Every structure is written in structure tokens, then in C-alpha cells.
Amino acid sequence: DTHLLYGMPDLVQSLLAYLDASPTPYHAVAESARRLREAGYVELNEADAWSLRPSGRYYTTRNGSSLIAFVCGRLPPQDAGFLAIGAHTDSPNLRIKPTPDLKRYGYRQLGVEVYGGVLLSTWLDRDLSIAGRVTFERDDGLHSALLDFTRPLVRIPNLAIHLNRTVNSEGLLLNAQSHMPPILGLAGGEQTTFQQLLAEELTKHGAQLTAEQILGWDLSLYDVQRARRSGLAGEFIHSARLDNLASCFAALSALITAKETHDSTRVIVLYDHEEVGSRSAQGACSPLLRLALARITEAYDETRTRQEAFARAMARSFLISADMAHAIHPNYADRHDPNHAPVLGGGPVLKLNVNQSYASDGHTTGRLERWCRRAEVSLQPYVVRSDLPCGSTIGPITAAELGIPTVDIGSPLLSMHSIREMAACADVTLLARVLDAYFGE
Ligand code: ZN
């Protein structure tokens, strides 16, 4: 079935565009919001009173880096529940320090801090740019703006092999403080501070700012090489941030195509800060999702006992936590349990861990399996080798916070947390079919 081998071309193209538009969590949320507005979703502000109507489509954001979107069901949640999909907007990367300017041995460099579990060696010898959010003051108050330099601006050069003879046999050792500051330019001549650089770039885009007006930033490095299809038959995708923007994209697309005529309420939640443990005001440990679900429940009937309505709604709900999974690597096949070794292109991975690093159990697996059978998609079960530690996701965190039965799934991936990861086009289509069956119930 060539259709499956190559994925649905439109869907894969749409994913590539989403990846390229989203160098940071702020950009991922802005691009998701843009797609939602285009599909008729109405923005809600968390600080305002919400008035919702059955079958209405809405979204709200927090901190510009987390997003919730939903289609209200025809019935109140206490009678029909929520069907939810969760994913995360952040990816491991290098972030610009607050006082970043460095001058060393004739070079201008920037101090960087490691965000999450970065595979550091993959950031060397890449054409890197800078993007994120800048916060500044004007007469009318405090503002934030998205910034993306888009052009190659910095680079972290490898050390020549002649000066590091044992690198191939003994491995590349990288110290995050001393080896990772990227080179921005040559020292000498006209010297602008990093703040001035930001002010100039924002002014170029119409903001008219001076360096003194810039009060803070959340900026990271990213690879300017665009996402693209690859492999002999175009069966692969090479890109940054597939973990976990591929799942954000899948959740978003499933919601946008979901019909308005369902009894239950469809919800997606895209969280920031999963890669650093989810403990933040907009991460999976925050009350972001709980508050939104409570407000939706109350919108249907304010006369009922609120706590009971919410408890009933939770008891009727389900969550699919979507995050990328480790495909077996042909050169390192011993890192997988032979019976639980997903392959690229083989379809969604079902993640299980009895110690609750993943939220799935036999019963939630059963519920998922029925949607998969309806979609004619088979799952690839994964458990980590019994002698290796297990990764985790927002699944167990959200399940613990809300008490909703949850299953952890995700598309298979190679080079997880590399600056350039590898997935398969077929898995984009196969995951979409499962999520469509789920939201189509
Ligand atoms: Zn992830």
C-alpha cells in the first residue's frame, strides 16, 4: 500500500510547514492558534468570563507557550465526559543566558544554558539561528513579541580531529559551560550588545525599540535547516522538534477535523515544560487543564452541584497522551527488548510501564485497541528493556492530577532529542487515523 508507505502527502506537507513555523514553544502555540482561528475556533482569555455554547469551538493559551482547544459536546460533560489528547510544545535546546555577551580570543560569543536532555554533540557544526519571545516596556505598558532571526547567526564549531585524536574511539566529551557557547562574530570594530541586537531586529519588524526598553527574553538557538522528506522513496521525515511537535500537530489536526455533532466534548492540551519535568505555571503539573475542564462543565448548567458535576465528568472521560517513542535502531538493536521493538513506519507505539512512567494499563490499552481496530491500524507495543531506566510523559502526570484513565502512545522516532530527528511519513497517517477514530466516536 504505497499510500501508507509515503503517508498522505497533504498531511505530511502540513506537518513539515508546522515544524518549520515552530522553532520555539511560543511559535508552536502561535502557529497552532493561527490554524485554529482559520478553522473557525474562537479565542478565550483565561482572565475573562467564558460564555460557551454546545457544539462551539474554542481555544485558550497560557504564557503563550501552552494551549487548550476544544469542541463543546451536545451533552453536558457530566453526562457525556471529555475525550482528550495531550502533547507537549517544548523540545530540548540551548537557551540564551540573561547576560550572554562573551569576548574570547578575538571572537564574540553568547552564553547558553542547556534546556532539557539535549544530545549536545548534534548541535555542533550546524547553521543556527535564534528565536523566541522578547519582553519590553513602552509608554502603554509591558509587551511581549515573538522574534525569529531566521538567518544563520551563530555556530558551535567542532574541534578538529587533529587536536582531539581519540574522539572516535573514546567518544566526544562536551562540557556545557566551556564547550557549548556559540560564536556570533569577530570581536573588534563596532560592538553592539545582545540587547541592542534584539532592539534592532525588533525595530526592523516595526516595533521601534531601544536596548533599554528590552527587559527580558526567552530565546533559544535552533537549526535553520528546514524539515523535509528523505530516504530512497521519500518515506522518512528529517526535522528538528519532531519530539513532540509531531504529536501536537496530530492532536491539532484531529480536533480541527472533528465533527461538531458529538455528545462528548473533544479537548486537546499542548503543554510547555515537559522536557524539564512539567513543574511550572503552564506545565502538566499546573491546574491549566483542570480549570478549563471545570469551566466547560459549569458552562452547561450552573444550578447543579459543581463538585459533583465535575467528578461525574472526570469519571466519564479519557485521555490519550501522545509523545514520540523510541524506534529500534538497526546499529544498536540490543537497546530494545526483542519483543517490544517498534520500527519506523510500523504505526503508533503503545507505551507500557508497570511502574507508571507511562499511564497505560491493560484496560486503557483495550479501549485504545478498539479505536485502532475501527481505524484498521495496528499498534506496536513498547516496554523498555528490564535493565534500563524508563522515560516518561505528561500522561502519568495528567492522570494523577485529574484521575482520568489515560493511555500513552506516540509515533516511532530515531535520534530522539537530537537537533535533527528521524520519523516516517506512514506514521503520520497511521496516527491521524487512530486519533480520527477516537474523536469520531
Ligand atoms: Zn517528548
Side-chain angles (χ1 to χ4, degrees):
D1 187 346
T2 52
H3 175 72
L4 277 189
L5 180 60
Y6 304 122
M8 282 156 59
D10 290 352
L11 200 64
V12 173
Q13 278 312 316
S14 183
L15 169 60
L16 300 186
Y18 184 77
L19 290 160
D20 287 336
S22 309
T24 74
Y26 307 100
H27 289 84
V29 164
E31 172 65 9
S32 303
R34 189 190 67 75
R35 291 182 180 217
L36 287 164
R37 280 194 303 274
E38 215 171 74
Y41 283 74
V42 175
E43 182 171 11
L44 302 167
N45 189 324
E46 278 197 294
D48 295 341
W50 291 1
S51 83
L52 310 175
R53 56 167 185 84
S55 303
R57 296 174 170 250
Y58 308 93
Y59 75 93
T60 187
T61 66
R62 185 180 287 186
N63 185 48
S65 61
S66 292
L67 176 143
I68 290 178
F70 53 95
V71 185
C72 289
R74 283 187 302 198
L75 296 181
Q78 59 263 37
D79 296 326
F82 295 98
L83 292 183
I85 304 173
H88 66 89
T89 59
D90 61 321
S91 305
N93 60 20
L94 301 175
R95 307 243 167 148
I96 309 286
K97 286 183 175 175
T99 305
D101 292 302
L102 301 171
K103 262 179 237 167
R104 305 195 298 187
Y105 303 100
Y107 297 101
R108 275 201 68 177
Q109 292 180 268
L110 293 174
V112 289
E113 195 176 359
V114 177
Y115 176 86
V118 176
L119 195 49
L120 288 177
S121 64
T122 63
W123 286 70
L124 305 179
D125 296 344
R126 294 278 175 169
D127 295 357
L128 304 174
S129 192
I130 296 172
R133 178 180 70 174
V134 180
T135 300
F136 51 88
E137 189 178 34
R138 270 200 303 234
D139 294 344
D140 58 341
L142 199 63
H143 298 270
S144 286
L146 294 183
L147 179 67
D148 183 354
F149 280 89
T150 66
R151 64 185 188 276
L153 202 61
V154 291
R155 177 180 164 112
I156 311 164
N158 251 303
L159 182 61
I161 194 164
H162 317 78
L163 307 179
N164 196 10
R165 287 286 182 189
T166 57
V167 62
N168 289 336
S169 52
E170 288 172 20
L172 179 62
L173 300 180
L174 290 170
N175 177 298
Q177 174 69 20
S178 47
H179 297 145
M180 297 311 286
I183 294 177
L184 175 65
L186 291 170
E190 185 205 349
Q191 290 297 312
T192 47
T193 63
F194 186 67
Q195 245 125 329
Q196 283 167 332
L197 194 69
L198 296 181
E200 281 170 20
E201 190 69 18
L202 285 165
T203 300
K204 238 190 254 176
H205 294 95
Q208 298 296 338
L209 289 174
T210 64
E212 292 68 41
Q213 287 173 279
I214 292 177
L215 304 182
W217 56 75
D218 305 278
L219 294 167
S220 53
L221 308 188
Y222 74 95
D223 188 353
V224 297
Q225 191 176 2
R226 299 175 82 80
R228 63 171 307 170
R229 296 181 73 142
S230 56
L232 182 64
E235 62 266 63
F236 299 122
I237 298 169
H238 296 175
S239 173
R241 303 177 299 280
L242 283 162
D243 176 13
N244 192 21
L245 293 182
S247 305
C248 291
F249 169 82
L252 192 65
S253 306
L255 189 74
I256 286 174
T257 50
K259 292 196 177 63
E260 286 160 15
T261 52
H262 295 293
D263 290 345
S264 61
T265 296
R266 274 76 176 134
V267 185
I268 65 167
V269 55
L270 313 181
Y271 287 118
D272 194 3
H273 289 145
E274 190 275 343
E275 299 290 359
V276 293
S278 296
R279 290 215 151 269
S280 73
Q282 54 279 349
C285 292
S286 77
L288 172 68
L289 181 60
R290 169 185 284 275
L291 290 174
L293 299 186
R295 294 173 84 168
I296 298 167
T297 306
E298 284 168 21
Y300 281 80
D301 189 350
E302 290 174 14
T303 61
R304 298 201 194 199
T305 317
R306 286 184 176 180
Q307 212 169 338
E308 184 177 56
F310 189 66
R312 288 180 60 205
M314 293 301 95
R316 293 177 189 275
S317 297
F318 194 81
L319 172 72
I320 292 181
S321 159
D323 203 346
M324 304 305 275
H326 297 297
I328 192 166
H329 190 311
N331 303 345
Y332 299 89
D334 63 335
R335 301 306 157 94
H336 275 72
D337 177 311
N339 278 1
H340 303 91
V343 294
L344 291 190
V349 176
L350 164 70
K351 304 184 206 181
L352 288 145
N353 178 264
V354 288
N355 298 303
Q356 298 301 303
S357 289
Y358 303 129
S360 323
D361 67 8
H363 194 260
T364 55
T365 296
R367 290 185 66 176
L368 175 70
E369 187 65 53
R370 296 182 69 213
W371 291 306
C372 290
R373 288 187 180 174
R374 219 166 294 163
E376 297 180 339
V377 172
S378 47
L379 290 165
Q380 306 192 78
Y382 175 76
V383 292
V384 74
R385 272 183 68 104
S386 299
D387 53 5
L388 284 179
C390 188
S392 193
T393 70
I394 59 128
I397 297 172
T398 312
E401 160 67 18
L402 293 169
I404 295 182
T406 298
V407 70
D408 267 293
I409 65 168
S411 290
L413 185 73
L414 288 174
S415 311
M416 189 182 286
H417 290 196
S418 165
I419 198 168
R420 204 155 171 86
E421 298 166 329
M422 181 173 182
C425 298
D427 293 318
V428 178
T429 304
L430 292 167
L431 179 61
R433 277 171 40 181
V434 171
L435 297 183
D436 286 348
Y438 173 56
F439 270 173
E441 185 176 71

